Amino acid sequence: MAEALTEVLSGARASGGLLHRAVLTPPWGVRVQDGAPLAVASLVRGEGWVLPSAVADPWPVPGPGAEPGDRPGPLPLAPGDVAVLRGPAPYVLADDPATPPDLLIQPGDCCTSVDGVDLCEEIALGVRTYGRDPDAPTVLLSGGYQLHGDLSSRLLDALPPVLVLRAAEWDAGLMALVEQEIVRDAPGQQLVLDRVLDLLLVSVLRAWFARPEADAPAWYRAQSDPVVGVALRLLHEQPGHAWTVASLAAKAGVSRANFARRFTELLGEPPMAYLAQRRIDLAARLLREPGATLGAVARRVGYADGFALSAAFKRVRGVSPAEYRAGWPVRG
């Protein structure tokens, strides 16, 4: 199952990602409404709760009358636990589910009070650190991707609204590195923070996908299928090859009709549609590499020239490759 997972996770590449360290005294509540497509949060010390979007908005927390399963409930966090939340809906981190937020994280990395007063200078405690008491008992680390284009659509589609891993379920020691880099102010530090955010996300998702009880996405489960798994490995290892349904079926050792039907049943889309999305996700990543030309990227991902790639890219992503490179806020 490694090939598909590696390729999907390799699409996570933050650019201008945000990481912060909060030092908080109970009662505390932070509502994050910055519209980021994906966020992570973890406690270094103290205790807290994460309230996903269905709970955080509208506030307050729904009472006992809510139907089971209709809305994800608040989830506790202990030191070393990590939460991954899919945006752009808001979420709340608090010392208790009943504590209303008194700090709002807005788009553009702006911190305000509930009534809109800017608090950035008032609560600044140093480099990327905020709070009102440097010796407060709770330390919270949080970060987020700022552009949908920094993440593959296949990855975002695979994630639940919120997932939480306990400290014993993943490499929680990584948070020591995260905390160390957050407060560092050195040349090129944003680039370092971007890669730290990527490393954190990959570490968490790798552990999550490996859990037997995880609701792994179809492309992950299909890797173990004796027919479709063969084709998936080929599509991920050689995305630029001129694959057809017939050639993939031949590699898998079944008829074209049987292969197409089985692939579509397991993946929810035909083989060529899967390949087209795979190629565009790879092209999006390659386009952000320094010096990459449109023609070279096109040839690498299986298009005849830059014109063909540009047309396909805009059809799938909604913007041209040039707009994407310029930092256009593309959809996943």
Side-chain angles (χ1 to χ4, degrees):
M1 296 186 183
E3 291 84 357
L5 181 60
T6 297
E7 289 298 333
V8 170
L9 292 181
S10 69
R13 193 164 182 82
S15 177
L18 298 178
L19 282 166
H20 292 103
R21 178 177 180 268
V23 186
L24 305 161
T25 301
W28 57 269
V30 180
R31 177 183 169 95
V32 183
Q33 52 187 43
D34 58 2
L38 199 67
V40 295
S42 181
L43 284 172
V44 175
R45 66 171 186 256
E47 296 181 346
W49 293 75
V50 56
L51 288 77
S53 58
V55 177
D57 195 11
W59 192 270
V61 179
E67 290 294 326
D70 284 353
R71 301 158 70 91
L75 299 168
L77 290 178
D81 295 351
V82 63
V84 175
L85 299 108
R86 195 181 67 209
Y91 62 93
V92 168
L93 300 162
D95 70 304
D96 186 274
T99 301
D102 58 359
L103 179 65
L104 308 183
I105 308 299
Q106 309 281 9
D109 198 24
C110 177
C111 301
T112 72
S113 64
V114 176
D115 55 4
V117 177
D118 191 311
L119 298 176
C120 289
E121 292 188 9
E122 179 181 335
I123 63 174
L125 288 178
V127 178
R128 301 180 193 89
T129 301
Y130 64 85
R132 290 186 169 87
D133 179 2
D135 299 317
T138 303
V139 175
L140 171 70
L141 306 182
S142 62
Y145 287 77
Q146 295 304 292
L147 293 177
H148 283 266
D150 294 338
L151 300 155
S152 76
S153 58
R154 205 169 295 279
L155 173 59
L156 289 174
D157 291 344
L159 297 177
V162 59
L163 68 90
V164 173
L165 288 181
R166 304 304 169 190
E169 298 174 328
W170 76 292
D171 185 13
L174 180 60
M175 295 312 299
L177 171 64
V178 175
E179 184 177 22
Q180 172 183 315
E181 293 298 335
I182 285 177
V183 298
R184 183 169 292 173
D185 189 13
Q189 190 62 18
Q190 182 59 58
L191 178 61
V192 173
L193 292 176
D194 285 341
R195 300 293 75 81
V196 167
L197 180 58
D198 293 339
L199 177 62
L200 174 59
L201 178 65
V202 168
S203 180
V204 171
L205 296 185
R206 183 174 59 183
W208 179 70
F209 280 128
R211 295 172 62 181
E213 68 273 23
D215 185 16
W219 52 260
Y220 186 82
R221 298 192 305 269
Q223 286 285 307
S224 61
D225 184 82
V227 172
V228 176
V230 172
L232 283 176
R233 283 189 286 277
L234 291 170
L235 293 178
H236 282 269
E237 290 171 358
Q238 305 173 50
H241 185 76
W243 294 112
T244 64
V245 175
S247 64
L248 288 169
K251 291 288 186 180
V254 296
S255 71
R256 182 184 184 281
N258 286 340
F259 170 74
R261 181 175 61 253
R262 189 173 185 85
F263 192 103
T264 303
E265 287 175 352
L266 291 180
L267 274 299
E269 60 183 332
M272 293 300 98
Y274 182 96
L275 176 59
Q277 181 66 63
R278 164 80 183 93
R279 286 172 167 171
I280 295 303
D281 284 344
L282 178 58
R285 179 156 52 90
L286 295 174
L287 284 167
R288 302 189 74 156
E289 294 183 355
T293 66
L294 184 61
V297 172
R299 291 188 293 274
R300 185 166 172 182
V301 300
Y303 289 92
D305 52 40
F307 294 105
L309 173 59
S310 183
F313 196 97
K314 188 162 188 175
R315 183 171 60 252
V316 174
R317 291 265 175 160
V319 294
S320 70
E323 290 169 327
Y324 177 80
R325 282 193 190 200
W328 193 281
V330 297
R331 63 177 186 265

